[in-house]
Amino acid sequence: MKGTPMTLPTYFLSHGGGPWPFMMDQVGHLYAKLDASLRDIPRQIGVTPKALLVITAHWEGRDFMLSSSPKPPMIYDYGGFPPHTYEVQYAAPGSPQLAAQVKDLLEAGGHTAVLDDQRGFDHGTFSALYPIYPNADVPVVQLSLRYGLDPKEHLEIGRLLAPLRDQGVLIIGSGLSFHNLRAFNAAGASASHAFDAWLQQTMALPPQERAAQLMQWEQAPAARMAHPREEHLLPLMVVLGAAEQEAAAMPYHEDAFMGGLAVSSFRFG
């Protein structure tokens, strides 16, 4: 269905590991549930977005950075995968116009934003988007995190981005609800379940209380075991800010991912 006569939801996606959608012959059994949840997003929103704004855990800057190339290249920011995964292409166009609009929105709210016409799609972007829009026919702009990883600041920029939802822009935060690479196996199972249970409880709270709890995420059970460094959690702050008064849903959850990890994705609106 074309056109977007509605306010679009926002998503926080647990994007999986490396270039998994391009290795389904080898790892499909591990990613079948995530793959199905991502492929279902077009049905959930019911319209084709005019563009996608992806807040990616794999890009940080002194200022908020925006990819502004009309034809973004690829960034193969992983190691040890089969040779063909360093040749995959996700040839979605960029949108210099959307990048400039986001820059204006952020700067109007007192945040510095910078356009980067060289930045390519990292795996947190193209691995998450390929199952959703495999034809790569929806324009994509990436937005970075900012050094310091201040949750309040990232919630605030999400609030500034909220008007885009009425303009046909689908806002996606690409990260992981559990991201401790030293315990990305059964060793992290207990911590991941404790933190995921807290996340689910927090997402079910009334809006003001939900945001306040999320700003105190380091006090959650097993918080620093789940996120020794919080860059994969911060995209959640942004997409929540952009739909702060909306109810949350959980379109993806697994209890036994990669040896027993609990991981989840959330939709707002």
Side-chain angles (χ1 to χ4, degrees), residues 222-253:
R224 280 299 178 187
M225 181 64 178
H227 292 279
R229 191 172 184 274
E230 56 264 43
E231 81 285 347
H232 274 70
L233 184 65
L234 266 289
L236 173 60
M237 315 297 181
V238 182
V239 300
L240 174 64
E244 194 167 6
Q245 301 304 313
E246 307 278 358
M250 188 170 61
Y252 165 67
H253 174 75

Side-chain angles (χ1 to χ4, degrees):
M1 177 179 173
K2 293 292 184 181
T4 51
M6 59 180 291
T7 300
L8 292 179
T10 69
Y11 284 85
F12 170 73
L13 302 179
S14 286
H15 61 58
W20 66 267
F22 305 94
M23 301 171 54
M24 291 299 280
D25 287 347
Q26 298 99 321
V27 302
H29 63 293
L30 298 174
Y31 285 99
K33 196 168 183 179
L34 176 58
D35 184 59
S37 74
L38 295 174
R39 291 182 184 277
D40 192 51
I41 287 176
R43 182 200 63 80
Q44 293 173 27
I45 63 176
V47 295
T48 300
K50 293 179 181 177
L52 310 174
L53 177 64
V54 179
I55 301 91
T56 171
H58 292 271
W59 191 16
E60 300 173 35
R62 290 179 300 174
D63 303 305
F64 289 105
M65 309 290 292
L66 288 148
S67 62
S68 59
S69 171
K71 295 182 178 180
M74 299 288 286
I75 299 176
Y76 305 113
D77 53 340
Y78 40 73
F81 288 91
H84 78 271
T85 64
Y86 299 90
E87 299 176 359
V88 298
Q89 294 291 314
Y90 188 73
S95 176
Q97 297 81 8
L98 175 59
Q101 182 184 4
V102 173
K103 180 178 186 293
D104 289 345
L105 287 171
L106 297 185
E107 291 185 339
H111 301 271
T112 304
V114 178
L115 302 179
D116 184 339
D117 64 2
Q118 302 299 309
R119 178 72 183 188
F121 296 144
D122 60 58
H123 84 266
T125 296
F126 67 77
S127 288
L129 295 187
Y130 178 73
I132 306 172
Y133 297 111
N135 294 329
D137 52 359
V138 181
V140 179
V141 170
Q142 293 177 128
L143 171 61
S144 78
L145 306 175
R146 198 177 84 81
Y147 291 153
L149 302 178
D150 180 359
K152 184 173 183 289
E153 182 177 37
H154 288 79
L155 181 75
E156 288 173 352
I157 69 158
R159 291 169 177 156
L160 297 173
L161 299 174
L164 299 173
R165 299 175 56 213
D166 294 318
Q167 300 170 23
V169 177
L170 182 63
I171 303 174
I172 293 173
S174 180
L176 269 172
S177 61
F178 177 87
H179 194 256
N180 183 339
L181 296 183
R182 293 186 176 182
F184 212 66
N185 47 43
S190 178
S192 74
H193 282 260
F195 187 74
D196 194 86
W198 176 86
L199 267 182
Q200 291 187 45
Q201 293 165 8
T202 299
M203 293 303 102
L205 293 172
Q208 186 173 357
E209 189 177 351
R210 178 176 63 186
Q213 287 277 20
L214 201 57
M215 294 303 95
Q216 303 297 320
W217 75 271
E218 288 180 275
Q219 298 177 18
R224 280 299 178 187
M225 181 64 178
H227 292 279
R229 191 172 184 274
E230 56 264 43
E231 81 285 347
H232 274 70
L233 184 65
L234 266 289
L236 173 60
M237 315 297 181
V238 182
V239 300
L240 174 64
E244 194 167 6
Q245 301 304 313
E246 307 278 358
M250 188 170 61
Y252 165 67
H253 174 75
E254 292 199 50
D255 282 323
F257 182 68
M258 293 291 183
L261 302 177
V263 290
S264 297
S265 297
F266 297 98
R267 181 182 70 244
F268 302 94

